[in-house]
Amino acid sequence: MPELPEVETVCQALKPVLEGQSFREVQLNREGLRYPFTKDLSDNLTRSSITQVTRRAKYLLIHFEHGQTLVWHLGMSGCIIIESSINIPQEVGRHDHVLLTTSTNIRITYRDPRRFGFLMIKPSDQIQNLSPFNTLGPEPLDELALTGNIFHASLSRRATPLKNALLDQNLIAGLGNIYVSEALWRAKLSPLRLANTLSVNEASLLLREIRNVLKEAIAAGGSTLRDHKQPDGNIGYFQHSFKVYNRHSKKCGHCNKALIIKIVQSGRSTYYCPYCQK
DNA sequence: AGATGAGCCTGAAGGC
DNA sequence: TGCCTTCAGGCTCATC
C-alpha cells in the first residue's frame, strides 16, 4: 500500500481536479470497507464544495466548505483513479467500491481489493484532536517541525529496534515497510540497532536519508508493487530504485560483496546488509 | 514499554 | 491444470 510518497502522489493529482469543485454524485458499492460507511457520508460529500485537498501521514484529507473533512485511508491495496466521466462506459470493477463524480464530470474511482482502506467524515476543526491524528508524530518532510535534535530526542526515548521505531506512526508519520528499509540502508544503520543508542549525528543522518528517499520516491510517482498506480493510470517508478527492499540474496550496492538478507521484525519483513549496516 | 499474534480481506506466486 | 500454502505497501486490539 501506499506509504507517504504514494499518498502524496495521489494528493497532488487530486488537488487540481477537486479544489474549488464539488461532487454531484456519490456511488457506494458496498456497506463499508474496513469500517462501515456512516449514513451521512454521501450527503456530506455532495452538499458543499471542496476547499482543499491535503495529506497528513498516510491519510488523504479532503476539506469541504461546510466544515467537514473526508478522512481517506488507502489501506494496503487501495488506489484512486481519476478519469473523465464523459465517453467512458460505466464499467465498474469488482473492487471499485466508491465512485465519486464531480460537477465538472471527472470520475474518481476508489479501488481496493483487500478493503483495508476507509473513508470517514470528521469535523475539520476537530481533526487534530481526534484519533489517530492527536498522537501522530511529525511529518518527515517538515524541516521546521522536525530537526535532527528533535528526532534524536524521540529516538532516545525508545528501547526498541530502529525498524520498529520508524514504523511507529506516533514517532514519525508516514513511513511504511518499504521506505524504512530503504532509509536505514542509505544511513548504514542496522534495523536491529536499538533506537536509543543513536548519537545525534546518526539520528540527523538518518533523518536526512529518510527525506532523500521520500523525496526521490515522490518525484518518481511512488512505487508500484501490486496495486499502487498514479491516479492517471500510470505506474509509479520508484520500485526500480529499491536498494534493499525485496532484494534478499542480492549483492549490497554499498559494499558490492555482502548479500542482502531478509529477517522478520514484529511480523514484518526487513531487508538489510549485515555488513554495511551497523 | 515493547513484542507478538490475530484479525480485517483478496490475489499473486510458488511448490507439488 | 489445479490445489494448497504463503505472503503482501496498514492498522488496531488483546495478551504476555
Side-chain angles (χ1 to χ4, degrees), chain A residues 112-243:
Chain A
D112 186 357
R114 293 176 71 184
R115 307 206 297 271
F116 288 169
F118 60 82
L119 295 86
M120 49 176 67
I121 287 281
K122 299 285 178 191
S124 309
D125 57 355
Q126 289 175 35
I127 281 193
Q128 302 294 337
N129 306 319
L130 297 172
S131 173
F133 300 98
N134 55 348
T135 56
L136 275 184
E139 284 291 320
L141 295 177
D142 184 344
E143 306 211 356
L144 292 176
L146 185 58
T147 62
N149 283 331
I150 292 174
F151 190 45
H152 175 255
S154 303
L155 291 171
S156 68
R157 287 190 288 270
R158 307 299 295 273
T160 191
L162 272 177
K163 168 76 186 311
N164 297 351
L166 297 181
L167 276 182
D168 184 345
Q169 302 299 299
N170 296 330
L171 192 146
I172 184 168
L175 297 180
N177 211 33
I178 294 178
Y179 296 106
V180 166
S181 277
E182 293 296 318
L184 286 171
W185 179 83
R186 289 177 180 227
K188 299 191 177 179
L189 291 167
S190 168
L192 297 167
R193 177 94 171 265
L194 294 185
N196 61 7
T197 65
L198 261 61
S199 66
V200 176
N201 281 344
E202 287 173 319
S204 299
L205 170 67
L206 175 56
L207 180 56
R208 200 153 58 237
E209 295 302 345
I210 288 170
R211 286 181 172 145
N212 286 340
V213 76
L214 292 177
K215 285 181 192 166
E216 288 172 31
I218 291 168
S223 300
T224 298
L225 293 187
R226 293 166 190 82
D227 308 298
H228 172 76
K229 278 190 186 143
Q230 295 188 68
D232 59 8
N234 289 320
I235 59 171
Y237 288 100
F238 195 72
Q239 68 279 8
H240 301 303
S241 304
F242 291 167
K243 302 297 189 198

Side-chain angles (χ1 to χ4, degrees), chain A residues 19-269:
Chain A
E19 289 182 352
Q21 306 300 329
S22 57
F23 293 121
R24 68 170 169 79
E25 199 187 326
V26 173
Q27 185 182 328
L28 306 174
N29 293 331
R30 49 185 311 119
E31 305 278 299
L33 294 164
R34 180 185 175 122
Y35 307 114
F37 295 134
T38 52
K39 282 188 215 124
D40 61 351
L41 180 61
S42 294
D43 184 49
N44 271 309
L45 295 179
T46 49
R47 71 183 170 86
S48 159
S49 59
I50 295 156
T51 55
Q52 228 189 345
V53 180
T54 61
R55 176 193 59 76
R56 173 76 170 108
K58 300 170 196 169
Y59 299 86
L60 195 60
L61 302 172
I62 300 181
H63 309 270
F64 289 83
E65 189 115 49
H66 59 27
Q68 305 285 315
T69 291
L70 173 65
V71 178
W72 197 342
H73 195 291
L74 308 185
M76 201 89 136
S77 60
C79 70
I80 285 174
I81 300 144
I82 304 171
E83 56 199 352
S84 167
S85 68
I86 300 169
N87 299 329
I88 294 183
Q90 292 287 317
E91 206 175 295
V92 178
R94 189 155 111 80
H95 302 297
D96 296 350
H97 309 303
V98 178
L99 294 154
L100 304 168
T101 311
T102 68
S103 43
T104 50
N105 288 319
I106 301 291
R107 188 164 48 146
I108 314 286
T109 302
Y110 181 54
R111 180 174 297 166
D112 186 357
R114 293 176 71 184
R115 307 206 297 271
F116 288 169
F118 60 82
L119 295 86
M120 49 176 67
I121 287 281
K122 299 285 178 191
S124 309
D125 57 355
Q126 289 175 35
I127 281 193
Q128 302 294 337
N129 306 319
L130 297 172
S131 173
F133 300 98
N134 55 348
T135 56
L136 275 184
E139 284 291 320
L141 295 177
D142 184 344
E143 306 211 356
L144 292 176
L146 185 58
T147 62
N149 283 331
I150 292 174
F151 190 45
H152 175 255
S154 303
L155 291 171
S156 68
R157 287 190 288 270
R158 307 299 295 273
T160 191
L162 272 177
K163 168 76 186 311
N164 297 351
L166 297 181
L167 276 182
D168 184 345
Q169 302 299 299
N170 296 330
L171 192 146
I172 184 168
L175 297 180
N177 211 33
I178 294 178
Y179 296 106
V180 166
S181 277
E182 293 296 318
L184 286 171
W185 179 83
R186 289 177 180 227
K188 299 191 177 179
L189 291 167
S190 168
L192 297 167
R193 177 94 171 265
L194 294 185
N196 61 7
T197 65
L198 261 61
S199 66
V200 176
N201 281 344
E202 287 173 319
S204 299
L205 170 67
L206 175 56
L207 180 56
R208 200 153 58 237
E209 295 302 345
I210 288 170
R211 286 181 172 145
N212 286 340
V213 76
L214 292 177
K215 285 181 192 166
E216 288 172 31
I218 291 168
S223 300
T224 298
L225 293 187
R226 293 166 190 82
D227 308 298
H228 172 76
K229 278 190 186 143
Q230 295 188 68
D232 59 8
N234 289 320
I235 59 171
Y237 288 100
F238 195 72
Q239 68 279 8
H240 301 303
S241 304
F242 291 167
K243 302 297 189 198
V244 281
Y245 184 82
N246 226 354
R247 290 181 51 81
H248 48 295
S249 307
K250 301 214 164 102
K251 262 189 202 166
C252 165
H254 281 318
C255 62
N256 219 10
K257 52 184 181 209
L259 301 181
I260 303 296
I261 60 171
K262 174 181 174 178
I263 59 170
V264 174
Q265 291 177 286
S266 295
R268 317 280 319 265
S269 297

